[in-house]
Amino acid sequence: MFLKRPIDIILSLIGLIILSPLFLVVAVLIKLDSEGPVFVKLRRLSRGREFGFYKFRSMVKDAHLFKAELADFNNRKGTPFFKMKDDPRITRVGGFLRHRYWDELPSLFNVLRGDISLVGPRPHEPEEVALYQGDYPDVVVAKAGITCLPRLYNPHLTFEQEMNFEREYLKNQSPWLDFKILAKT
């Protein structure tokens, strides 16, 4: 695993260089579509510490302020996660970006900084982690990643299934497994 950090640096740099024209196009589309910044910096946890997770803005400005009002529509009730089908806070461009996971491309900057890795458990919100950290301490203390093993499966995994896939990754992580996950992502 001593190769993981150098590989993260090299691949994130290459990705940022190659994707820079796409970044420009997406930035223009976001600005034309709705009011607000191009990028958002979200609170997430990696290795048990909070950091600012960079993404393209895919929701209306100040979307977090409306989350409590939408709690009754959470498709993942009974879990620490909030997911809503047809979330009204998602912009037109944001829906396009999310469908292709392009909204997460700016997190390559987080990889370059060392906040996260290319592959690892998903970085979750501190409030979500507080609800499950006692049951999944190995996932909480692991270095998070842009992509992960659960992403390769059905997007409607239960919370327990998702956490079990995260644990499976942590038990079996290797450069080869990371490569397979990156290639499939």
Side-chain angles (χ1 to χ4, degrees), residues 22-35 37-39 56-60 87-104:
L22 179 64
F23 273 53
L24 182 60
V25 170
V26 169
V28 169
L29 291 174
I30 289 171
K31 288 308 265 183
L32 291 174
D33 185 47
S34 61
E35 181 185 327
V38 170
F39 300 102
F56 282 120
R57 182 176 56 81
S58 60
M59 293 187 164
V60 296
D87 191 327
R89 302 171 300 164
I90 298 174
T91 65
R92 287 176 306 200
V93 170
F96 176 84
L97 296 175
R98 283 172 167 237
H99 182 70
R100 289 155 185 79
Y101 300 110
W102 289 3
D103 62 318
E104 297 187 15

mmCIF file of all heavy atoms in Angstrom, residues 22-35 37-39 56-60 87-104:
data_model
loop_
_atom_site.group_PDB
_atom_site.id
_atom_site.type_symbol
_atom_site.label_atom_id
_atom_site.label_comp_id
_atom_site.label_asym_id
_atom_site.label_seq_id
_atom_site.Cartn_x
_atom_site.Cartn_y
_atom_site.Cartn_z
ATOM 1 N N LEU A 22 -13.049 20.196 -19.718
ATOM 2 C CA LEU A 22 -14.379 19.817 -19.242
ATOM 3 C C LEU A 22 -14.772 20.663 -18.031
ATOM 4 O O LEU A 22 -15.918 21.088 -17.911
ATOM 5 C CB LEU A 22 -14.421 18.325 -18.892
ATOM 6 C CG LEU A 22 -15.745 17.801 -18.352
ATOM 7 C CD1 LEU A 22 -16.854 17.925 -19.397
ATOM 8 C CD2 LEU A 22 -15.604 16.355 -17.897
ATOM 9 N N PHE A 23 -13.823 20.921 -17.138
ATOM 10 C CA PHE A 23 -14.084 21.770 -15.974
ATOM 11 C C PHE A 23 -14.605 23.134 -16.430
ATOM 12 O O PHE A 23 -15.545 23.670 -15.851
ATOM 13 C CB PHE A 23 -12.813 21.952 -15.141
ATOM 14 C CG PHE A 23 -12.565 20.889 -14.111
ATOM 15 C CD1 PHE A 23 -12.552 19.550 -14.449
ATOM 16 C CD2 PHE A 23 -12.341 21.221 -12.785
ATOM 17 C CE1 PHE A 23 -12.310 18.572 -13.502
ATOM 18 C CE2 PHE A 23 -12.105 20.255 -11.824
ATOM 19 C CZ PHE A 23 -12.091 18.919 -12.186
ATOM 20 N N LEU A 24 -13.980 23.686 -17.457
ATOM 21 C CA LEU A 24 -14.383 25.003 -17.963
ATOM 22 C C LEU A 24 -15.800 24.968 -18.517
ATOM 23 O O LEU A 24 -16.622 25.833 -18.207
ATOM 24 C CB LEU A 24 -13.388 25.483 -19.030
ATOM 25 C CG LEU A 24 -13.635 26.859 -19.616
ATOM 26 C CD1 LEU A 24 -13.594 27.928 -18.527
ATOM 27 C CD2 LEU A 24 -12.607 27.163 -20.684
ATOM 28 N N VAL A 25 -16.110 23.961 -19.325
ATOM 29 C CA VAL A 25 -17.449 23.832 -19.900
ATOM 30 C C VAL A 25 -18.491 23.660 -18.796
ATOM 31 O O VAL A 25 -19.537 24.315 -18.798
ATOM 32 C CB VAL A 25 -17.499 22.647 -20.898
ATOM 33 C CG1 VAL A 25 -18.927 22.344 -21.317
ATOM 34 C CG2 VAL A 25 -16.631 22.933 -22.113
ATOM 35 N N VAL A 26 -18.211 22.785 -17.841
ATOM 36 C CA VAL A 26 -19.155 22.549 -16.739
ATOM 37 C C VAL A 26 -19.357 23.820 -15.924
ATOM 38 O O VAL A 26 -20.487 24.143 -15.548
ATOM 39 C CB VAL A 26 -18.677 21.373 -15.849
ATOM 40 C CG1 VAL A 26 -19.491 21.293 -14.571
ATOM 41 C CG2 VAL A 26 -18.750 20.057 -16.613
ATOM 42 N N ALA A 27 -18.295 24.559 -15.672
ATOM 43 C CA ALA A 27 -18.405 25.809 -14.910
ATOM 44 C C ALA A 27 -19.344 26.791 -15.610
ATOM 45 O O ALA A 27 -20.208 27.410 -14.964
ATOM 46 C CB ALA A 27 -17.026 26.427 -14.711
ATOM 47 N N VAL A 28 -19.196 26.928 -16.909
ATOM 48 C CA VAL A 28 -20.059 27.840 -17.672
ATOM 49 C C VAL A 28 -21.510 27.364 -17.597
ATOM 50 O O VAL A 28 -22.425 28.170 -17.374
ATOM 51 C CB VAL A 28 -19.577 27.954 -19.138
ATOM 52 C CG1 VAL A 28 -20.595 28.679 -20.000
ATOM 53 C CG2 VAL A 28 -18.221 28.656 -19.201
ATOM 54 N N LEU A 29 -21.740 26.061 -17.775
ATOM 55 C CA LEU A 29 -23.103 25.530 -17.726
ATOM 56 C C LEU A 29 -23.750 25.743 -16.360
ATOM 57 O O LEU A 29 -24.934 26.090 -16.272
ATOM 58 C CB LEU A 29 -23.104 24.038 -18.085
ATOM 59 C CG LEU A 29 -22.770 23.710 -19.537
ATOM 60 C CD1 LEU A 29 -22.652 22.200 -19.730
ATOM 61 C CD2 LEU A 29 -23.811 24.293 -20.482
ATOM 62 N N ILE A 30 -22.988 25.540 -15.297
ATOM 63 C CA ILE A 30 -23.524 25.746 -13.950
ATOM 64 C C ILE A 30 -23.925 27.201 -13.755
ATOM 65 O O ILE A 30 -25.002 27.498 -13.232
ATOM 66 C CB ILE A 30 -22.508 25.294 -12.878
ATOM 67 C CG1 ILE A 30 -22.391 23.766 -12.875
ATOM 68 C CG2 ILE A 30 -22.914 25.800 -11.488
ATOM 69 C CD1 ILE A 30 -21.261 23.228 -12.014
ATOM 70 N N LYS A 31 -23.065 28.119 -14.181
ATOM 71 C CA LYS A 31 -23.363 29.550 -14.015
ATOM 72 C C LYS A 31 -24.571 29.972 -14.845
ATOM 73 O O LYS A 31 -25.360 30.819 -14.413
ATOM 74 C CB LYS A 31 -22.144 30.399 -14.394
ATOM 75 C CG LYS A 31 -21.009 30.323 -13.387
ATOM 76 C CD LYS A 31 -21.447 30.611 -11.979
ATOM 77 C CE LYS A 31 -21.266 32.028 -11.565
ATOM 78 N NZ LYS A 31 -21.637 32.272 -10.166
ATOM 79 N N LEU A 32 -24.726 29.393 -16.048
ATOM 80 C CA LEU A 32 -25.866 29.737 -16.896
ATOM 81 C C LEU A 32 -27.171 29.134 -16.360
ATOM 82 O O LEU A 32 -28.243 29.680 -16.595
ATOM 83 C CB LEU A 32 -25.640 29.246 -18.331
ATOM 84 C CG LEU A 32 -24.550 29.960 -19.130
ATOM 85 C CD1 LEU A 32 -24.336 29.261 -20.477
ATOM 86 C CD2 LEU A 32 -24.910 31.431 -19.340
ATOM 87 N N ASP A 33 -27.076 28.026 -15.651
ATOM 88 C CA ASP A 33 -28.254 27.291 -15.208
ATOM 89 C C ASP A 33 -28.882 27.852 -13.940
ATOM 90 O O ASP A 33 -30.106 27.869 -13.802
ATOM 91 C CB ASP A 33 -27.883 25.823 -14.987
ATOM 92 C CG ASP A 33 -29.076 24.963 -14.638
ATOM 93 O OD1 ASP A 33 -30.115 25.061 -15.319
ATOM 94 O OD2 ASP A 33 -28.969 24.172 -13.674
ATOM 95 N N SER A 34 -28.055 28.285 -12.996
ATOM 96 C CA SER A 34 -28.627 28.717 -11.714
ATOM 97 C C SER A 34 -27.671 29.641 -10.965
ATOM 98 O O SER A 34 -26.467 29.668 -11.240
ATOM 99 C CB SER A 34 -28.947 27.496 -10.840
ATOM 100 O OG SER A 34 -27.775 26.767 -10.567
ATOM 101 N N GLU A 35 -28.233 30.345 -10.010
ATOM 102 C CA GLU A 35 -27.457 31.272 -9.184
ATOM 103 C C GLU A 35 -26.623 30.493 -8.170
ATOM 104 O O GLU A 35 -27.069 29.489 -7.627
ATOM 105 C CB GLU A 35 -28.435 32.194 -8.442
ATOM 106 C CG GLU A 35 -27.766 33.207 -7.567
ATOM 107 C CD GLU A 35 -28.777 34.016 -6.759
ATOM 108 O OE1 GLU A 35 -29.885 34.265 -7.257
ATOM 109 O OE2 GLU A 35 -28.431 34.384 -5.616
ATOM 110 N N PRO A 37 -22.321 29.577 -6.603
ATOM 111 C CA PRO A 37 -20.944 29.307 -7.020
ATOM 112 C C PRO A 37 -20.859 28.070 -7.918
ATOM 113 O O PRO A 37 -21.781 27.246 -7.951
ATOM 114 C CB PRO A 37 -20.222 29.053 -5.693
ATOM 115 C CG PRO A 37 -21.287 28.523 -4.795
ATOM 116 C CD PRO A 37 -22.550 29.247 -5.203
ATOM 117 N N VAL A 38 -19.761 27.933 -8.622
ATOM 118 C CA VAL A 38 -19.516 26.760 -9.465
ATOM 119 C C VAL A 38 -19.176 25.561 -8.592
ATOM 120 O O VAL A 38 -19.648 24.455 -8.820
ATOM 121 C CB VAL A 38 -18.381 27.042 -10.479
ATOM 122 C CG1 VAL A 38 -17.951 25.765 -11.192
ATOM 123 C CG2 VAL A 38 -18.818 28.106 -11.471
ATOM 124 N N PHE A 39 -18.345 25.792 -7.582
ATOM 125 C CA PHE A 39 -17.898 24.723 -6.694
ATOM 126 C C PHE A 39 -18.550 24.868 -5.319
ATOM 127 O O PHE A 39 -18.873 25.963 -4.895
ATOM 128 C CB PHE A 39 -16.376 24.776 -6.500
ATOM 129 C CG PHE A 39 -15.596 24.635 -7.774
ATOM 130 C CD1 PHE A 39 -15.040 25.744 -8.380
ATOM 131 C CD2 PHE A 39 -15.413 23.390 -8.357
ATOM 132 C CE1 PHE A 39 -14.313 25.627 -9.555
ATOM 133 C CE2 PHE A 39 -14.690 23.256 -9.526
ATOM 134 C CZ PHE A 39 -14.141 24.372 -10.135
ATOM 135 N N PHE A 56 -18.566 19.983 -7.948
ATOM 136 C CA PHE A 56 -19.311 20.968 -8.719
ATOM 137 C C PHE A 56 -20.668 21.113 -8.048
ATOM 138 O O PHE A 56 -21.259 20.119 -7.602
ATOM 139 C CB PHE A 56 -19.529 20.505 -10.158
ATOM 140 C CG PHE A 56 -18.332 20.657 -11.053
ATOM 141 C CD1 PHE A 56 -17.764 19.557 -11.666
ATOM 142 C CD2 PHE A 56 -17.778 21.904 -11.290
ATOM 143 C CE1 PHE A 56 -16.672 19.690 -12.498
ATOM 144 C CE2 PHE A 56 -16.676 22.048 -12.115
ATOM 145 C CZ PHE A 56 -16.118 20.940 -12.726
ATOM 146 N N ARG A 57 -21.169 22.327 -7.980
ATOM 147 C CA ARG A 57 -22.482 22.542 -7.372
ATOM 148 C C ARG A 57 -23.540 21.930 -8.280
ATOM 149 O O ARG A 57 -23.637 22.257 -9.444
ATOM 150 C CB ARG A 57 -22.749 24.032 -7.170
ATOM 151 C CG ARG A 57 -24.089 24.313 -6.484
ATOM 152 C CD ARG A 57 -24.293 25.790 -6.217
ATOM 153 N NE ARG A 57 -24.197 26.585 -7.414
ATOM 154 C CZ ARG A 57 -25.175 26.750 -8.306
ATOM 155 N NH1 ARG A 57 -26.351 26.171 -8.119
ATOM 156 N NH2 ARG A 57 -24.989 27.493 -9.373
ATOM 157 N N SER A 58 -24.338 21.040 -7.718
ATOM 158 C CA SER A 58 -25.388 20.376 -8.489
ATOM 159 C C SER A 58 -26.777 20.685 -7.929
ATOM 160 O O SER A 58 -27.769 20.209 -8.459
ATOM 161 C CB SER A 58 -25.162 18.856 -8.500
ATOM 162 O OG SER A 58 -25.186 18.347 -7.188
ATOM 163 N N MET A 59 -26.805 21.473 -6.870
ATOM 164 C CA MET A 59 -28.078 21.838 -6.249
ATOM 165 C C MET A 59 -28.221 23.357 -6.234
ATOM 166 O O MET A 59 -27.256 24.087 -6.461
ATOM 167 C CB MET A 59 -28.147 21.310 -4.819
ATOM 168 C CG MET A 59 -28.205 19.818 -4.704
ATOM 169 S SD MET A 59 -28.493 19.345 -2.972
ATOM 170 C CE MET A 59 -28.990 17.670 -3.186
ATOM 171 N N VAL A 60 -29.418 23.797 -5.904
ATOM 172 C CA VAL A 60 -29.663 25.227 -5.781
ATOM 173 C C VAL A 60 -28.790 25.790 -4.670
ATOM 174 O O VAL A 60 -28.337 25.054 -3.779
ATOM 175 C CB VAL A 60 -31.152 25.531 -5.501
ATOM 176 C CG1 VAL A 60 -32.022 25.097 -6.668
ATOM 177 C CG2 VAL A 60 -31.614 24.895 -4.205
ATOM 178 N N ASP A 87 -35.109 14.848 -6.074
ATOM 179 C CA ASP A 87 -34.840 15.920 -5.112
ATOM 180 C C ASP A 87 -35.029 17.276 -5.803
ATOM 181 O O ASP A 87 -34.352 17.569 -6.797
ATOM 182 C CB ASP A 87 -33.398 15.777 -4.591
ATOM 183 C CG ASP A 87 -33.095 16.656 -3.405
ATOM 184 O OD1 ASP A 87 -33.654 17.772 -3.314
ATOM 185 O OD2 ASP A 87 -32.280 16.233 -2.563
ATOM 186 N N PRO A 88 -35.963 18.113 -5.322
ATOM 187 C CA PRO A 88 -36.239 19.393 -5.985
ATOM 188 C C PRO A 88 -35.085 20.395 -5.879
ATOM 189 O O PRO A 88 -35.083 21.404 -6.589
ATOM 190 C CB PRO A 88 -37.487 19.909 -5.252
ATOM 191 C CG PRO A 88 -37.421 19.273 -3.915
ATOM 192 C CD PRO A 88 -36.790 17.924 -4.128
ATOM 193 N N ARG A 89 -34.107 20.110 -5.038
ATOM 194 C CA ARG A 89 -32.972 21.023 -4.897
ATOM 195 C C ARG A 89 -31.945 20.856 -6.016
ATOM 196 O O ARG A 89 -31.105 21.718 -6.221
ATOM 197 C CB ARG A 89 -32.282 20.789 -3.546
ATOM 198 C CG ARG A 89 -33.198 20.958 -2.350
ATOM 199 C CD ARG A 89 -32.547 20.516 -1.072
ATOM 200 N NE ARG A 89 -32.175 19.105 -1.145
ATOM 201 C CZ ARG A 89 -31.326 18.509 -0.322
ATOM 202 N NH1 ARG A 89 -30.761 19.194 0.654
ATOM 203 N NH2 ARG A 89 -31.047 17.218 -0.445
ATOM 204 N N ILE A 90 -32.026 19.754 -6.753
ATOM 205 C CA ILE A 90 -31.058 19.483 -7.820
ATOM 206 C C ILE A 90 -31.417 20.306 -9.055
ATOM 207 O O ILE A 90 -32.557 20.299 -9.515
ATOM 208 C CB ILE A 90 -31.011 17.983 -8.161
ATOM 209 C CG1 ILE A 90 -30.556 17.185 -6.940
ATOM 210 C CG2 ILE A 90 -30.088 17.714 -9.345
ATOM 211 C CD1 ILE A 90 -30.608 15.677 -7.109
ATOM 212 N N THR A 91 -30.421 20.999 -9.594
ATOM 213 C CA THR A 91 -30.629 21.827 -10.792
ATOM 214 C C THR A 91 -30.641 20.937 -12.040
ATOM 215 O O THR A 91 -30.269 19.769 -11.983
ATOM 216 C CB THR A 91 -29.507 22.872 -10.924
ATOM 217 O OG1 THR A 91 -28.264 22.192 -11.139
ATOM 218 C CG2 THR A 91 -29.426 23.767 -9.695
ATOM 219 N N ARG A 92 -31.019 21.520 -13.176
ATOM 220 C CA ARG A 92 -31.021 20.750 -14.436
ATOM 221 C C ARG A 92 -29.615 20.268 -14.772
ATOM 222 O O ARG A 92 -29.401 19.085 -15.050
ATOM 223 C CB ARG A 92 -31.553 21.605 -15.582
ATOM 224 C CG ARG A 92 -33.040 21.852 -15.528
ATOM 225 C CD ARG A 92 -33.440 22.761 -16.632
ATOM 226 N NE ARG A 92 -32.586 23.962 -16.519
ATOM 227 C CZ ARG A 92 -32.843 25.133 -17.041
ATOM 228 N NH1 ARG A 92 -33.913 25.285 -17.759
ATOM 229 N NH2 ARG A 92 -32.045 26.156 -16.883
ATOM 230 N N VAL A 93 -28.645 21.179 -14.739
ATOM 231 C CA VAL A 93 -27.261 20.802 -15.010
ATOM 232 C C VAL A 93 -26.769 19.846 -13.924
ATOM 233 O O VAL A 93 -26.060 18.879 -14.214
ATOM 234 C CB VAL A 93 -26.355 22.047 -15.125
ATOM 235 C CG1 VAL A 93 -24.885 21.662 -15.159
ATOM 236 C CG2 VAL A 93 -26.718 22.855 -16.368
ATOM 237 N N GLY A 94 -27.163 20.087 -12.692
ATOM 238 C CA GLY A 94 -26.773 19.225 -11.585
ATOM 239 C C GLY A 94 -27.240 17.794 -11.770
ATOM 240 O O GLY A 94 -26.509 16.847 -11.462
ATOM 241 N N GLY A 95 -28.443 17.609 -12.277
ATOM 242 C CA GLY A 95 -28.956 16.265 -12.538
ATOM 243 C C GLY A 95 -28.107 15.544 -13.578
ATOM 244 O O GLY A 95 -27.788 14.359 -13.432
ATOM 245 N N PHE A 96 -27.735 16.267 -14.614
ATOM 246 C CA PHE A 96 -26.865 15.708 -15.655
ATOM 247 C C PHE A 96 -25.512 15.316 -15.066
ATOM 248 O O PHE A 96 -25.008 14.229 -15.313
ATOM 249 C CB PHE A 96 -26.691 16.753 -16.774
ATOM 250 C CG PHE A 96 -25.748 16.337 -17.855
ATOM 251 C CD1 PHE A 96 -26.193 15.548 -18.906
ATOM 252 C CD2 PHE A 96 -24.422 16.741 -17.832
ATOM 253 C CE1 PHE A 96 -25.322 15.167 -19.918
ATOM 254 C CE2 PHE A 96 -23.540 16.356 -18.828
ATOM 255 C CZ PHE A 96 -23.990 15.564 -19.881
ATOM 256 N N LEU A 97 -24.935 16.213 -14.278
ATOM 257 C CA LEU A 97 -23.624 15.952 -13.671
ATOM 258 C C LEU A 97 -23.676 14.758 -12.722
ATOM 259 O O LEU A 97 -22.795 13.897 -12.722
ATOM 260 C CB LEU A 97 -23.125 17.184 -12.910
ATOM 261 C CG LEU A 97 -22.845 18.433 -13.736
ATOM 262 C CD1 LEU A 97 -22.487 19.595 -12.820
ATOM 263 C CD2 LEU A 97 -21.743 18.180 -14.744
ATOM 264 N N ARG A 98 -24.698 14.702 -11.891
ATOM 265 C CA ARG A 98 -24.824 13.622 -10.905
ATOM 266 C C ARG A 98 -25.025 12.268 -11.576
ATOM 267 O O ARG A 98 -24.494 11.259 -11.116
ATOM 268 C CB ARG A 98 -25.989 13.888 -9.955
ATOM 269 C CG ARG A 98 -25.675 14.910 -8.916
ATOM 270 C CD ARG A 98 -26.931 15.263 -8.129
ATOM 271 N NE ARG A 98 -26.554 16.007 -6.960
ATOM 272 C CZ ARG A 98 -26.863 15.652 -5.718
ATOM 273 N NH1 ARG A 98 -27.579 14.574 -5.495
ATOM 274 N NH2 ARG A 98 -26.474 16.371 -4.708
ATOM 275 N N HIS A 99 -25.789 12.245 -12.643
ATOM 276 C CA HIS A 99 -26.052 10.986 -13.341
ATOM 277 C C HIS A 99 -24.751 10.357 -13.853
ATOM 278 O O HIS A 99 -24.630 9.145 -13.925
ATOM 279 C CB HIS A 99 -27.020 11.232 -14.500
ATOM 280 C CG HIS A 99 -27.401 9.995 -15.247
ATOM 281 N ND1 HIS A 99 -28.203 9.017 -14.706
ATOM 282 C CD2 HIS A 99 -27.057 9.564 -16.484
ATOM 283 C CE1 HIS A 99 -28.349 8.039 -15.582
ATOM 284 N NE2 HIS A 99 -27.665 8.346 -16.669
ATOM 285 N N ARG A 100 -23.788 11.190 -14.184
ATOM 286 C CA ARG A 100 -22.501 10.720 -14.707
ATOM 287 C C ARG A 100 -21.378 10.781 -13.672
ATOM 288 O O ARG A 100 -20.241 10.503 -13.978
ATOM 289 C CB ARG A 100 -22.116 11.561 -15.918
ATOM 290 C CG ARG A 100 -22.989 11.272 -17.104
ATOM 291 C CD ARG A 100 -23.070 12.431 -18.071
ATOM 292 N NE ARG A 100 -24.020 12.145 -19.128
ATOM 293 C CZ ARG A 100 -25.328 12.237 -19.004
ATOM 294 N NH1 ARG A 100 -25.862 12.602 -17.868
ATOM 295 N NH2 ARG A 100 -26.137 11.953 -20.005
ATOM 296 N N TYR A 101 -21.702 11.196 -12.440
ATOM 297 C CA TYR A 101 -20.737 11.385 -11.352
ATOM 298 C C TYR A 101 -19.708 12.478 -11.669
ATOM 299 O O TYR A 101 -18.667 12.536 -11.042
ATOM 300 C CB TYR A 101 -20.017 10.064 -10.981
ATOM 301 C CG TYR A 101 -20.959 8.984 -10.528
ATOM 302 C CD1 TYR A 101 -21.191 7.876 -11.326
ATOM 303 C CD2 TYR A 101 -21.616 9.084 -9.311
ATOM 304 C CE1 TYR A 101 -22.067 6.878 -10.915
ATOM 305 C CE2 TYR A 101 -22.493 8.090 -8.897
ATOM 306 C CZ TYR A 101 -22.717 6.986 -9.710
ATOM 307 O OH TYR A 101 -23.580 6.012 -9.302
ATOM 308 N N TRP A 102 -19.999 13.318 -12.628
ATOM 309 C CA TRP A 102 -19.081 14.410 -12.964
ATOM 310 C C TRP A 102 -19.058 15.475 -11.880
ATOM 311 O O TRP A 102 -18.108 16.244 -11.790
ATOM 312 C CB TRP A 102 -19.454 15.047 -14.295
ATOM 313 C CG TRP A 102 -19.185 14.193 -15.496
ATOM 314 C CD1 TRP A 102 -18.708 12.906 -15.526
ATOM 315 C CD2 TRP A 102 -19.403 14.567 -16.851
ATOM 316 N NE1 TRP A 102 -18.607 12.469 -16.824
ATOM 317 C CE2 TRP A 102 -19.034 13.459 -17.655
ATOM 318 C CE3 TRP A 102 -19.884 15.711 -17.468
ATOM 319 C CZ2 TRP A 102 -19.113 13.492 -19.043
ATOM 320 C CZ3 TRP A 102 -19.959 15.742 -18.853
ATOM 321 C CH2 TRP A 102 -19.572 14.641 -19.630
ATOM 322 N N ASP A 103 -20.097 15.540 -11.062
ATOM 323 C CA ASP A 103 -20.109 16.529 -9.985
ATOM 324 C C ASP A 103 -18.965 16.302 -9.009
ATOM 325 O O ASP A 103 -18.540 17.212 -8.308
ATOM 326 C CB ASP A 103 -21.456 16.538 -9.251
ATOM 327 C CG ASP A 103 -21.789 15.212 -8.580
ATOM 328 O OD1 ASP A 103 -21.545 14.145 -9.199
ATOM 329 O OD2 ASP A 103 -22.298 15.236 -7.450
ATOM 330 N N GLU A 104 -18.419 15.079 -8.982
ATOM 331 C CA GLU A 104 -17.353 14.744 -8.041
ATOM 332 C C GLU A 104 -15.946 14.927 -8.615
ATOM 333 O O GLU A 104 -14.956 14.720 -7.912
ATOM 334 C CB GLU A 104 -17.540 13.314 -7.540
ATOM 335 C CG GLU A 104 -18.836 13.173 -6.760
ATOM 336 C CD GLU A 104 -18.996 11.819 -6.105
ATOM 337 O OE1 GLU A 104 -18.007 11.081 -6.003
ATOM 338 O OE2 GLU A 104 -20.130 11.525 -5.684
#
